[in-house]
Amino acid sequence: MKRTNRLMFILFASLTLLFLLAACSGQEGASSKGEKKEGTTTSGTSGNDAEGNASPDKIVVGFSQIGAESGWRTAETESVKETLGNSDEFELKFSDAQQKQENQIKALRSFIAQKVDVIALAPVVESGWETVLTEAKDAGIPVILLDRGIEVEDESLYTSFIGSDFVLEGENGAKELINLIGEDVETNIVELQGTVGASSANDRMKGFKNVIDQNDNYKIIKSQTGDFTRSKGKEVMEAFLKSDGDNIDAVYAHNDDMALGAIQAIEEYGLKPGEDIKIVSVDGIGDIFEAVADGKSNIIVECNPLLGPQLAQAAKDLMAGKEIERWIKTEETVFVGAEEAKAALPDRQY
Ligand code: GZL
């Protein structure tokens, strides 16, 4: 009997030892953020290799996108997904906020809980980010702003802004409009503004006014948000035409989608867009190049949405411990008139 008990004890002790050894090797990857050890596995599906094990060295990026309000926004999403979504260097976690800041804040908290390596945020509006960005900072997760800026007291709450100079875009739009119509011609302008509170809307308005306010012949007689969408742009332009129809000489639209809506409204009103009413807009999507080529719009101020490669490079540099620029600017140009639009169309990438 004693011999049997001894054998049972040895068997039990061996099995316990084996179990403990197995459990210890499985905990190696279970480190908390910031103490990532060699071979730490990352969560998420797209980072798995053939055997279903998550690749240990993928950079996990959580991207909170605003929504799909415009052709420009869709092009930006495609650029980020193309560059980071199908890559052996990155695992992309993507969230579409349907234009709501509270959904972006929820997405950021989810990325923090998942311990992503980098957060990319396209902030729908400039304010209201301090709390959640402080949580990201406390979790040791760097935040890169994409295409729109934010207003925060503590500048360390984000590492970099990848995007355009919206003030310059507004200034260029105004300069080209005055060049087109003539600085001595009395010109009444209606303005279709972007999303209320968005940095791209605020700064495009500021830049345009910087130039217009220098010339007494040019006046903005009406301004209203069209929320960067085609449908709202059409609706607001219909209202402008109803109240000031024959008194409108030009439209300044903060993006092409609203300009395309305005073109429809002007045609339905019985006037010729691009001729009776001149139009300048920002972005440079394919449809506006078609409209300018057809003489229905006049000036395109380019704003590049293809930010995926710059985001990828910035994330890689951050993970390699390199300094990155505080403002990673996108180079852009302006197109005026049908001939320039026709020449540029074949090479447009969005
Ligand atoms: C610009 C971006 C703007 C685009 C619009 O960086 O914030 O938002 O101009 C988009 O088309 O809706």
Side-chain angles (χ1 to χ4, degrees):
M1 188 55 172
K2 266 190 182 166
R3 184 175 152 70
T4 316
N5 285 349
R6 196 139 47 83
L7 275 177
M8 289 298 285
F9 173 76
I10 291 167
L11 183 61
F12 176 74
S14 314
L15 284 173
T16 307
L17 186 62
L18 274 176
F19 173 75
L20 284 173
L21 281 172
C24 283
S25 67
Q27 278 170 6
E28 249 163 47
S31 66
S32 66
K33 183 74 209 157
E35 304 140 33
K36 271 197 159 182
K37 299 190 185 85
E38 201 49 45
T40 302
T41 56
T42 51
S43 63
T45 50
S46 61
N48 296 348
D49 62 21
E51 289 73 47
N53 306 308
S55 158
D57 53 2
K58 273 186 180 262
I59 300 172
V60 184
V61 175
F63 175 35
S64 169
Q65 177 58 295
I66 294 172
E69 75 281 1
S70 65
W72 188 99
R73 182 71 47 203
T74 307
E76 182 188 59
T77 295
E78 282 163 11
S79 173
V80 171
K81 284 185 172 177
E82 239 162 65
T83 315
L84 289 90
N86 313 310
S87 147
D88 53 12
E89 291 182 280
F90 296 95
E91 179 188 336
L92 176 67
K93 294 180 183 297
F94 177 82
S95 156
D96 177 330
Q98 313 281 318
Q99 315 305 122
K100 292 189 174 68
Q101 182 176 30
E102 64 261 29
N103 290 344
Q104 292 201 283
I105 292 171
K106 274 188 208 133
L108 263 57
R109 289 197 165 119
S110 166
F111 295 150
I112 294 167
Q114 296 176 70
K115 299 186 173 60
V116 299
D117 295 306
V118 177
I119 286 175
L121 168 66
V124 60
V125 292
E126 287 186 301
S127 58
W129 300 102
E130 285 78 0
T131 305
V132 71
L133 292 186
T134 302
E135 292 164 21
K137 182 180 176 184
D138 293 346
I141 301 174
V143 174
I144 295 174
L145 300 182
L146 217 54
D147 101 67
R148 290 187 189 176
I150 60 174
E151 291 292 332
V152 281
E153 291 292 312
D154 174 3
E155 290 287 313
S156 74
L157 289 179
Y158 67 92
T159 304
S160 178
F161 165 61
I162 300 176
S164 307
D165 183 340
F166 304 123
V167 172
L168 181 63
E169 289 173 346
E171 289 170 347
N172 286 337
K175 283 175 189 163
E176 292 301 342
L177 185 68
I178 294 172
N179 283 342
L180 178 72
I181 295 175
E183 60 185 18
D184 303 324
V185 177
E186 286 214 356
T187 303
N188 291 327
I189 303 161
V190 292
E191 181 186 27
L192 296 170
Q193 296 182 338
T195 302
V196 175
S199 66
S200 34
N202 292 340
D203 289 352
R204 284 174 184 164
M205 176 178 67
K206 206 181 293 174
F208 192 83
K209 275 180 66 57
N210 286 350
V211 173
I212 293 296
D213 289 352
Q214 305 300 315
N215 184 324
D216 294 340
N217 291 315
Y218 281 72
K219 213 180 290 8
I220 297 174
I221 57 169
K222 283 274 173 42
S223 272
Q224 192 176 330
T225 180
D227 215 8
F228 282 134
T229 68
R230 216 167 282 206
S231 56
K232 198 88 173 75
K234 179 170 191 265
E235 195 185 299
V236 172
M237 190 65 205
E238 284 164 350
F240 286 162
L241 288 163
K242 198 160 173 230
S243 61
D244 297 83
D246 300 333
N247 195 27
I248 298 172
D249 304 303
V251 177
Y252 168 46
H254 289 187
N255 84 332
D256 298 337
D257 291 74
M258 294 189 292
L260 290 160
I263 287 168
Q264 273 183 298
I266 294 166
E267 287 178 322
E268 288 169 11
Y269 182 76
L271 292 175
K272 290 196 181 77
E275 292 178 38
D276 302 326
I277 296 180
K278 303 298 184 195
I279 301 172
V280 49
S281 64
V282 189
D283 275 353
I285 62 172
D287 289 351
I288 202 68
F289 274 88
E290 300 283 357
V292 174
D294 295 343
K296 293 186 176 179
S297 189
N298 306 93
I299 300 161
I300 305 167
V301 179
E302 188 183 36
C303 175
N304 187 344
L306 308 180
L307 306 180
Q310 287 169 305
L311 172 60
Q313 189 56 57
K316 269 196 283 198
D317 290 347
L318 275 180
M319 295 312 286
K322 291 180 187 166
E323 280 285 305
I324 64 172
E325 286 174 86
R326 184 78 182 151
W327 181 358
I328 299 170
K329 261 189 199 176
T330 45
E331 290 316 312
E332 296 152 352
T333 183
V334 180
F335 299 87
V336 180
E339 292 320 307
E340 282 191 24
K342 283 176 194 159
L345 249 174
D347 304 327
R348 296 303 297 168
Q349 296 170 57
Y350 60 92

